């Protein structure tokens, strides 16, 4: 029993885009063909350095994110997966996802994804309205998304996520609902519905940040209506909300993302990728920093509370040797009284009201 391999998730970062979106603060930038080739070769070398570490683990999920990973050509992508499978033991039923953007996917690339064992696509759509896509700085139209989605289905992909974004400048509640209904009509297995955040250092911050054209952004009330309309519509269409911003048809919850929220160990490979192993965190190229028990408890709560099922009292005690009530009794009592959380049975979770102010609630769990 002592020799059993532990579960591990792999995250592989591809920091390239055709064009940076107006709202994006992720680590990504345009690139030349030569830069992409050099980076892909570097990734393969990095992956192969983990041979010794890999002996203690079996890989349960892989997520290739970015940037726009679908910007890589098929040989580069297949080379990366050859390096992964040469180095790590990958479960036969591992969930393997790649992020793709319309306008960067071809039949040839999709065939390569299947050959590499990729069984889940995450397509960045954001909006079904071309004017909104243009405003966001996306490189594609809604029609190009439909073409990519249709091609993926033809090629046999049976697990597709679509990313959507609400609270876009000049967007109305009705316009957001039209986007939702168009996408729901396609029946993707998973929908990630995020609200636009105006991040510093982006063109959107220059235009819509403090003192900017804030009047073009939906009001707080409109944003809340979009939020709850999303939950209601997706529920009506048979999607289960399993995390604050994520919805899935039964059985299609993203296992990789659940791993993050459950603090499953994960290894990030590539520029800027983050890792969590042996209760140590680090970004690629930096020295690991050990987490104190206090920090582990905090993460357990504020990551786990993103899930609709909440956090397990039994799992907390098993992990830390102390009861949740002993550590957080005062905070939990306050949240229950305010109607922001509920805690009957084994799980403690946010209420509907608590989800509305989730960031504030989660801050309460910093010790």
């Amino acid at each position: 029993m002592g020799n059993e391999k532990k579960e591990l998730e792999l995250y592989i970062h591809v920091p390239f885009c055709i064009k940076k979106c107006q709202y994006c603060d992720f680590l990504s930038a345009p690139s030349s063909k030569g830069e992409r080739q050099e980076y892909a070769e570097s990734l393969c070398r990095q992956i192969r350095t983990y041979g010794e570490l890999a002996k203690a683990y079996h890989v349960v999920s892989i997520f290739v994110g970015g940037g726009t990973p679908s910007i890589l050509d098929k040989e580069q992508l297949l080379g990366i997966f050859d390096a992964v499978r040469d180095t790590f033991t990958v479960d036969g039923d591992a969930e393997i996802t790649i992020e793709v953007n319309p306008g960067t996917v071809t039949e040839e690339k999709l065939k390569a994804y299947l050959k590499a064992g990729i069984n889940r696509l995450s397509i960045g759509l954001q909006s079904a309205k071309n004017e909104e896509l243009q405003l966001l700085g996306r490189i594609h139209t809604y029609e190009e998304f439909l073409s990519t989605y249709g091609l993926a289905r033809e090629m046999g992909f049976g697990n597709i996520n679509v990313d959507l974004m609400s609270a876009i400048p000049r967007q109305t509640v009705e316009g957001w609902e039209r986007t939702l209904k168009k996408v729901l009509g396609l029946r993707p297995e998973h929908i990630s519905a995020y609200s636009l955040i105006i991040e510093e250092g982006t063109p959107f911050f220059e235009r819509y940040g403090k003192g900017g054209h804030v009047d073009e952004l939906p009001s707080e009330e409109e944003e809340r209506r979009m939020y709850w309309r999303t939950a209601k519509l997706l529920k009506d269409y048979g999607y289960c909300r399993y995390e604050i911003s994520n919805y899935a048809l039964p059985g299609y919850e993203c296992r990789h993302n659940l791993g993050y929220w459950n603090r499953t160990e994960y290894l990030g490979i590539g520029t800027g990728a983050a890792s969590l192993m042996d209760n140590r965190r680090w970004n690629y190229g930096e020295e690991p920093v050990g987490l104190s028990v206090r920090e582990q408890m905090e993460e357990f709560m504020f990551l786990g509370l993103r899930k609709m099922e909440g956090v397990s009292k039994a799992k907390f005690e098993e992990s830390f040797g102390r009861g949740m009530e002993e550590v957080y009794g005062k905070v939990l009592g306050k949240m229950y009284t305010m109607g922001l959380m509920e805690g009957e049975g084994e799980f403690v979770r946010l209420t509907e009201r608590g989800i509305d102010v989730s960031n504030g609630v989660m801050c309460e769990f910093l010790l």
Side-chain angles (χ1 to χ4, degrees), residues 33-45:
K33 193 172 182 179
E35 286 170 327
R36 294 197 290 275
Q37 180 61 28
E38 193 177 314
Y39 185 80
E41 290 172 4
S42 169
L43 270 183
C44 292
R45 289 194 297 272

Side-chain angles (χ1 to χ4, degrees), residues 13-18 27-31 35-37 39-40 66-69 71-72:
H13 190 70
V14 179
F16 305 126
C17 292
I18 289 178
L27 182 61
S28 61
S31 60
E35 286 170 327
R36 294 197 290 275
Q37 180 61 28
Y39 185 80
T68 306
I71 203 171
L72 296 181

Side-chain angles (χ1 to χ4, degrees), residues 115-129:
K115 186 178 178 182
I118 292 169
N119 50 31
R120 186 174 183 271
L121 298 182
S122 182
I123 307 178
L125 169 59
Q126 314 314 343
S127 171
K129 189 174 181 182

Side-chain angles (χ1 to χ4, degrees), residues 231-361:
K232 172 73 168 63
L233 253 181
L234 270 72
K235 185 179 180 182
D236 289 348
Y237 275 76
Y239 288 77
C240 168
R241 184 186 196 181
Y242 68 98
E243 189 270 344
I244 287 178
S245 302
N246 285 277
Y247 302 78
L249 293 175
Y252 288 96
E253 297 81 1
C254 178
R255 285 152 48 191
H256 188 86
N257 284 345
L258 280 171
Y260 287 150
W261 301 315
N262 289 326
R263 299 186 76 247
T264 300
E265 289 188 288
Y266 56 88
L267 177 64
I269 303 170
T271 306
S275 300
L276 170 68
M277 297 183 75
D278 293 325
N279 281 310
R280 298 180 304 159
R281 282 195 181 279
W282 70 95
N283 286 330
Y284 194 81
E286 297 176 2
E287 286 298 309
V289 176
L291 296 171
S292 66
V293 174
R294 173 180 64 80
E295 289 169 323
Q296 292 171 43
M297 287 177 176
E298 290 172 348
E299 285 192 359
F300 183 96
M301 296 303 290
F302 65 70
L303 290 174
L305 284 171
R306 291 191 62 88
K307 300 177 297 174
M308 294 300 101
E309 74 170 9
V311 289
S312 161
K313 296 176 188 175
K315 179 76 171 160
F316 186 95
E317 189 160 355
E318 178 191 322
S319 300
F320 306 113
R322 298 171 67 189
M324 192 183 289
E325 294 284 349
E326 180 191 341
V327 179
Y328 284 113
K330 193 173 178 182
V331 175
L332 291 171
K334 177 182 170 185
M335 295 297 103
Y336 296 156
T337 301
M338 293 174 69
L340 302 177
M341 290 180 66
E342 57 191 17
E344 289 180 19
E346 185 194 334
F347 287 88
V348 171
R349 65 183 66 83
L350 297 175
T351 60
E352 301 273 307
R353 280 184 59 203
I355 292 169
D356 257 350
V357 290
S358 58
N359 288 344
V361 174

Side-chain angles (χ1 to χ4, degrees), residues 122-308:
S122 182
I123 307 178
L125 169 59
Q126 314 314 343
S127 171
K129 189 174 181 182
N130 287 334
E131 293 85 347
E132 290 176 351
L133 292 173
Q134 197 171 4
L135 181 69
L136 291 170
R138 305 294 290 174
I139 64 163
H140 60 86
T141 62
Y142 178 60
E143 290 70 29
E144 285 171 318
F145 159 78
L146 288 175
S147 175
T148 296
Y149 185 91
L151 185 59
R153 287 300 197 205
E154 281 174 35
M155 299 297 294
F157 283 94
N159 191 356
I160 297 178
N161 168 63
V162 177
D163 279 343
L164 296 175
M165 183 177 286
S166 62
I168 294 169
R170 300 196 286 275
Q171 187 180 54
T172 63
V173 177
E174 294 71 28
W176 169 239
E177 189 168 320
R178 280 194 291 275
T179 281
L180 282 175
K181 285 183 174 176
K182 282 183 178 180
V183 173
L184 285 165
L186 298 171
R187 297 295 284 175
E189 285 70 27
H190 191 285
I191 293 175
S192 296
Y194 301 103
S195 185
L196 172 67
I197 298 172
I198 307 294
E199 301 282 8
E200 283 195 53
T202 65
F204 263 25
F205 187 80
E206 297 303 311
R207 180 170 178 83
Y208 304 111
K210 293 172 184 174
H213 297 255
V214 289
D215 56 315
E216 294 184 25
L217 296 171
S219 68
E220 200 175 310
E221 175 58 32
E222 287 173 314
E223 194 172 336
R224 183 160 283 138
R225 282 173 58 205
M226 289 177 191
Y227 192 71
W228 290 111
R229 195 71 193 115
T230 305
K232 172 73 168 63
L233 253 181
L234 270 72
K235 185 179 180 182
D236 289 348
Y237 275 76
Y239 288 77
C240 168
R241 184 186 196 181
Y242 68 98
E243 189 270 344
I244 287 178
S245 302
N246 285 277
Y247 302 78
L249 293 175
Y252 288 96
E253 297 81 1
C254 178
R255 285 152 48 191
H256 188 86
N257 284 345
L258 280 171
Y260 287 150
W261 301 315
N262 289 326
R263 299 186 76 247
T264 300
E265 289 188 288
Y266 56 88
L267 177 64
I269 303 170
T271 306
S275 300
L276 170 68
M277 297 183 75
D278 293 325
N279 281 310
R280 298 180 304 159
R281 282 195 181 279
W282 70 95
N283 286 330
Y284 194 81
E286 297 176 2
E287 286 298 309
V289 176
L291 296 171
S292 66
V293 174
R294 173 180 64 80
E295 289 169 323
Q296 292 171 43
M297 287 177 176
E298 290 172 348
E299 285 192 359
F300 183 96
M301 296 303 290
F302 65 70
L303 290 174
L305 284 171
R306 291 191 62 88
K307 300 177 297 174
M308 294 300 101

